[in-house]
Amino acid sequence: MAEASVSPLPLPVTRKKKSLSIEEKIDIINAVESGKKKAEIAAKYGIKKNSLSSIMKNKDKVLEAFESLRFDPKRKRLRTAFYTDLEDALMRWYRIAQCLNVPVNGPMLRLKANDFARKLGHSDFKCSNGWLDRFKSRYGLVFRSQPVETAAASGDAATLWSQNVLLYYLNDYHPKDIFNIKETGLLYRMLPTNTFAFKGEACSIGKLSKERITLVVGANMDGSEKLPLLVIGKNKNPHCFKNVKSLPIDYEANRMAWMTSEIFELWMQKLDEKFQAQKRRVVVFLDSLPAHPEVKILKSTQLVFFPSSLSSQFVAMKQGVIKNLKIKYRFCLVKKFLDSVESSKEFTFSLLDAVDMLHLCWRTVTPETIVESFEKAGFKSQHGKSEKTNTETENDLDLVTHALAAGVEFLKGLSLEEYASLDENLVTCETVSDSQAIWTKEGKTNETDCYTSDEEDEDRSPETELPLPSKKEAVTALETLKKFLRSQEMNGTLHDSLADLENFIQCLSFK
């Protein structure tokens, strides 16, 4: 007789407990307090009556979480972190920054969390990426691009940025690892219109030169390190660079002779490699511009962008460094011109001459000038006060005396400082977005290679091209230099430099 088949018993159906957000719990509380039936409310939200009773029992906690803005309204759990006082302080700081439209990012929030932890005595706390992610999730923080700040709030934003964001980095980095960079335009051959006039003759020199370059200047906060100058010209291979295999500066080029996002990224990667080799961690402050994109592959360098609505008061290089460099450069340029007049020689000045002169002048900008400029920009050292020193500038009277002796007059009332600032309003950075760009990368390279400037036309004339000195002539010139220098008071550093130079040339002579 066949056995009767026994069908398996159905498994009990388990209902998954529904989780409600804080926002939904607030709606339930309001519904109950308005007199609606609890059974209807429970059915509407798909919960049991005992779950509704639990919500009402914890009503005060739910209301506190919602009203204090400590939790995202969409959040479903009220579990708090261990460092509640730290999170409260961090959220208050974030809300203030948000109200004043001061941009805040992840690294900035991490630095501020560590700062609050120190102040609150949490010596065992360290803001890891995981903690930061959980914190952002708990409070529903999403970092988006900031709206354009209003002029009315710019004063408050500047104060908040200085007292919180800037101070945070000043506490976290040593002054030698805090840098600022800034572009400036330079009409490198400019003898200003009608500035010079020969006595009794119409001025035939002094026409405003259209040759412009962009100069990128950067230094650290304690003045101990000046970054190599970055010069951006119009021609990738200027004729005056023929046979030149190395320059004392970094050189790039494009048709407009200004900073582009591509040049910026390449330059920052080069600097980052240098800091990596030195095993350093540095922060670089700079303007927020289309030509200054986020460079995400940097390993030793943190880029911090000034809020776009703040004035240039925080740009340290504009508080005296660039001005001092330009005054020194203009002084040397005019002196070179006057030397040509005195020796009855034609005045010629190429881009290579400008590069050498800029390098020379940049080396003479003192650490005191740099430190004072950072202090004017609000970068107050948290590692002890620096002693104030009077910065030196070139003397107008010395230059005027030299000019008069050569039979050349300065335009009355024009100071060297005013002359140095004539090109300060030149546009130095690209302003179009990627979607507005009219060249492809390949197209730009080709155009750059082919572009010929006014200076190139002049340099290509056979009369101005000088033959490349031989190694024997270089050795002879060095002997002449040594003979001259030995008749002067020299320090040990100059003797060492002279020996290094001789060794370099001697090594070349054996090749």
Side-chain angles (χ1 to χ4, degrees), residues 194-212:
N194 298 326
T195 296
F196 301 108
F198 285 97
K199 291 181 179 179
E201 295 182 16
C203 175
S204 59
I205 307 177
K207 291 183 179 180
L208 183 63
S209 171
K210 293 181 180 179
E211 276 305 317
R212 60 79 48 87

Side-chain angles (χ1 to χ4, degrees), residues 140-155:
L141 302 185
V142 178
F143 297 133
R144 301 183 179 92
S145 58
Q146 297 293 316
V148 177
E149 301 87 346
T150 59
S154 61

Side-chain angles (χ1 to χ4, degrees), residues 240-306:
C240 60
F241 285 8
K242 184 179 179 181
N243 298 317
V244 175
K245 295 184 178 180
S246 63
L247 293 170
I249 51 88
D250 293 325
Y251 182 79
E252 297 290 345
N254 57 61
R255 188 174 68 89
M256 300 302 292
W258 61 13
M259 176 64 84
T260 65
S261 57
E262 182 182 15
I263 290 176
F264 177 78
E265 288 193 34
L266 291 173
W267 191 55
M268 289 311 305
Q269 290 169 16
K270 182 177 180 180
L271 290 177
D272 188 61
E273 290 173 1
K274 167 190 168 184
F275 294 135
Q276 283 185 61
Q278 296 172 346
K279 297 182 179 179
R280 293 169 66 186
R281 185 175 67 94
V282 307
V283 59
V284 179
F285 289 87
L286 63 161
D287 291 325
S288 179
L289 297 169
H292 297 163
E294 283 276 7
V295 187
K296 297 182 180 179
I297 61 174
L298 302 181
K299 296 181 180 179
S300 293
T301 308
Q302 169 74 49
L303 301 182
V304 177
F305 300 95
F306 297 119

